[in-house]
C-alpha cells in the first residue's frame, strides 16, 4: 500500500502478512522469557568534549553545565535524523515515520518528576 502523509508524519501501511508477523513478534516479546545484553563503551572522547564545552561556557561553581546525558540525548537525536526509520512508531497496521525528531526526557529532582519534550532536536 502507498504511504499516507499526515501533518508532521507519514504512515506506511503494512501488508496483512507483515501485520501478522508483527503480532507474532509482539506476542513473543510479551509471552516468551528473554534476556538483555549490555555493552561497555569507551566514552573518553565524549568526556573530553563535555569538559571542553563546559569550560567554554565559563560556568559558576553552582551551575551544572552540560551532562553526559545531555550529549547522549543529542547523539540519539542525530542518529534519528540520519536514519529516519529509527524515528518511528508502531501504529498497529502501519509504521509511522515522523518528520521531526522530538525527544521526551524524564528529569527528577528528588521531590518531583518532570517530563519535558525537546522538539525539533
Amino acid at each position: 500500500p502507498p504511504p499516507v502523509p499526515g501533518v508532521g508524519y507519514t504512515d506506511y501501511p503494512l501488508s496483512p502478512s507483515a501485520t501478522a508477523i508483527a503480532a507474532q513478534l509482539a506476542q513473543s516479546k510479551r509471552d516468551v522469557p528473554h534476556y538483555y545484553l549490555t555493552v561497555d563503551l569507551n566514552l573518553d572522547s565524549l568526556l573530553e568534549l563535555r569538559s571542553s564545552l563546559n569550560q567554554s561556557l565559563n560556568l559558576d561553581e553552582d551551575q551544572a553545565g552540560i551532562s553526559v546525558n545531555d550529549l547522549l540525548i543529542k547523539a540519539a537525536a542525530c542518529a534519528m535524523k540520519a536514519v529516519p526509520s529509527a524515528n518511528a512508531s508502531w501504529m498497529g497496521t502501519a509504521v509511522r515515520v515522523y518528520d521531526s525528531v522530538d525527544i521526551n526526557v524524564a528529569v527528577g529532582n528528588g521531590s518531583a518528576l518532570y517530563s519535558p519534550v525537546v522538539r525539533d532536536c
Side-chain angles (χ1 to χ4, degrees), residues 43-57 66-68 71-72 74-75:
L43 295 179
D44 291 347
S45 295
L46 182 77
L47 295 174
E48 288 174 17
L49 172 64
R50 176 179 175 254
S51 177
S52 174
L53 291 171
N54 282 333
Q55 285 177 4
S56 70
L57 293 175
I66 296 171
S67 70
V68 171
L71 294 174
L72 293 175
K74 179 63 176 176

Side-chain angles (χ1 to χ4, degrees), residues 87-119:
N87 185 30
S89 295
W90 174 253
M91 304 304 291
T93 59
V95 174
R96 177 168 292 171
V97 178
Y98 297 96
D99 297 335
S100 64
V101 175
D102 303 330
I103 295 184
N104 179 258
V105 181
V107 181
N109 67 1
S111 61
L113 180 65
Y114 303 95
S115 189
V117 175
V118 181
R119 299 200 183 277

Side-chain angles (χ1 to χ4, degrees), residues 9-22:
Y9 63 87
T10 302
D11 284 346
Y12 293 86
L14 300 173
S15 67
S17 62
T19 302
I21 290 168

